Structures are given as structure tokens and as C-alpha cells.
Amino acid sequence: MIRVPRFIVISGGEAGAFYLRQLRRAVAAGKLDTDRILVVDRDPGCRVASERAGDPRVQLETADWAEWLAVHLGDADPADHLVPYHWAPHLLLGWLEGEARRAGAVTTRGGALAPRGLPFEATTTAGDRALSYASWTCPPTCIEPAVCPHTRGPKDWSLAADLETPASDGATPVVFRCMHLVYGVGTIPVRDIFAARDRLCAPSSTARRSYLIATSSHCHALATRLEVENLTA
């Protein structure tokens, strides 16, 4: 049985409600043990609000996603897991920037990322680079199994692992791996998020450092170049 003290689910809409149902099913099946499933959404009337009735484990926090993370994520138990929205602003990038600024650094987004020759590479309206090994549309509920449901062939790739390999542009990779945990729900362990923060905020003798910040599964990712300066030993 998998033990996670608390899940932090981003979105109380259709996606978040699906993740909530799947986590509850995993608990009912004896595959998962958890004390709380906390769902964050700015709409108090979101879908989760009507679906959580009768389950004391489920808590709905009415707040903007980024604002909630900025205030509360740093106080989470490292054993907790974050369930990100499958297509959202690069929330952990923004959280990292805030943590770096509190540590005395100056951060700047931007700068071209080195092309990786993937089937899909595009720039979002927010300036992040959307990357994928799929040239087709994948359902957000795909667990990225060993045999790809679309090609029906072996999934012999991992975008998260690829992004952890330094590219030719010299940017140091910081990759938040979102991997399938149970019953179709992908999560990022909070301890991994804290490790990335500590790595980024560590004093350095180098005045300016370049990072590739990515949130990635095996097949899809959002990636952004981040410059960090004035954080010296």
C-alpha cells in the first residue's frame, strides 16, 4: 500500500474532480492510505465542492493556485504529494522564483532554449516551451504505460530523463518529475520540490547562473530558461 499523508490537488474543476475520484477509489481498494486530499481552486462552487460531501478527508481551499502555493507550499510535509493540473501556467516555476527572491536573488525569465528535435515543440502564450514526444493529442488521464496506447509500440522514451541531461546551451536542468502514482493520478513528491528549491537557492561563487526549469512526465513537459543572479556565498 502507498502511504501519502496529504495530496495537494491543483484545480477543483473537471480535472481535479477526476483526480479526487481516482484517489478515493484507490483508498477504497486498499491501494492508498492518506489523511487528507486538499483541493485548491478559486471558485467556491467548483465541481469538487459538490463531490466532496461526506468525506472528511477532502478539503477545498478557495484561492488562486499560484497565490496558495506561494503562501502554503513551503509549509507542506516533504512526504506530501502535489497533483498538478495537466495544462496550466508553469506554477512551480513561479513558486521557485518567489523562493529565490526571498533568498536574496534576482531572477529573469527568458532566453531561447536549445531545440531538442522532438515531435512537438512550441512556445506558450506565457513564454514557456511546450515539449512532447507525441505529435498527436493524448488524454490527460493517460498513465504513460510501457506500451504506448497510441502507437501500440514500446514507450522507449522519457522526456523527464532527457531534460535532466544538460543541453548544449549550458543551462543547469531542474526537472520536476510528474509520474503516475496510482489509479491514473500523476504526482510530484513535495520532497523533490523542496530539493529543487534548496538547489536553486544555495549560495554560489558564480554571480549569474542559468537553469532549465521543467515540469515533465515521460511524454510531455513545460520548460523555461531562468537566470538567477546576486545569490553569492
Side-chain angles (χ1 to χ4, degrees):
M1 180 185 294
I2 299 171
R3 166 68 182 165
V4 176
R6 182 178 65 159
F7 289 93
I8 302 167
V9 180
I10 300 299
S11 173
E14 183 177 350
F18 168 79
Y19 296 140
L20 173 60
R21 288 194 299 272
Q22 295 304 99
L23 291 173
R24 293 167 81 175
R25 286 171 180 165
V27 170
K31 303 296 185 181
L32 175 67
D33 178 36
T34 187
D35 301 321
R36 186 162 302 279
I37 303 171
L38 187 150
V39 181
V40 182
D41 199 285
R42 61 185 176 185
D43 179 9
C46 65
R47 188 163 177 175
V48 163
S50 61
E51 295 196 8
R52 69 187 177 109
D55 191 339
R57 285 183 301 253
V58 182
Q59 175 185 351
L60 176 62
E61 290 273 334
T62 303
D64 174 85
W65 297 339
E67 292 176 1
W68 191 94
L69 291 173
V71 174
H72 299 289
L73 182 57
D75 295 326
D77 187 320
D80 292 344
H81 280 225
L82 177 72
V83 182
Y85 185 61
H86 66 277
W87 186 256
H90 203 171
L91 294 173
L92 289 178
L93 168 66
W95 181 79
L96 268 185
E97 287 181 296
E99 294 294 294
R101 286 193 293 268
R102 276 189 283 275
V106 176
T107 63
T108 306
R109 297 189 192 187
L113 296 177
R116 291 181 174 265
L118 297 169
F120 180 85
E121 298 190 28
T123 301
T124 70
T125 55
D128 300 303
R129 195 71 173 158
L131 307 172
S132 180
Y133 266 110
S135 57
W136 55 89
T137 301
C138 297
T141 55
C142 180
I143 65 171
E144 301 180 338
V147 176
C148 174
H150 182 86
T151 67
R152 303 189 183 280
K155 180 180 63 59
D156 54 1
W157 61 82
S158 174
L159 185 51
D162 292 347
L163 290 171
E164 288 173 340
T165 302
S168 58
D169 60 5
T172 300
V174 175
V175 180
F176 298 106
R177 282 176 165 251
C178 181
M179 299 297 166
H180 177 247
L181 181 73
V182 66
Y183 276 48
V185 181
T187 71
I188 305 172
V190 168
R191 63 168 46 89
D192 292 351
I193 298 173
F194 288 172
R197 173 200 60 192
D198 295 344
R199 182 180 175 192
L200 199 76
C201 294
S204 172
S205 58
T206 304
R208 185 181 183 93
R209 293 173 288 174
S210 296
Y211 293 94
L212 172 84
I213 309 297
T215 300
S216 182
S217 67
H218 287 306
C219 300
H220 315 283
L222 280 177
T224 306
R225 190 183 183 97
L226 186 68
E227 304 292 329
V228 180
E229 56 185 323
N230 298 334
L231 189 65
T232 55

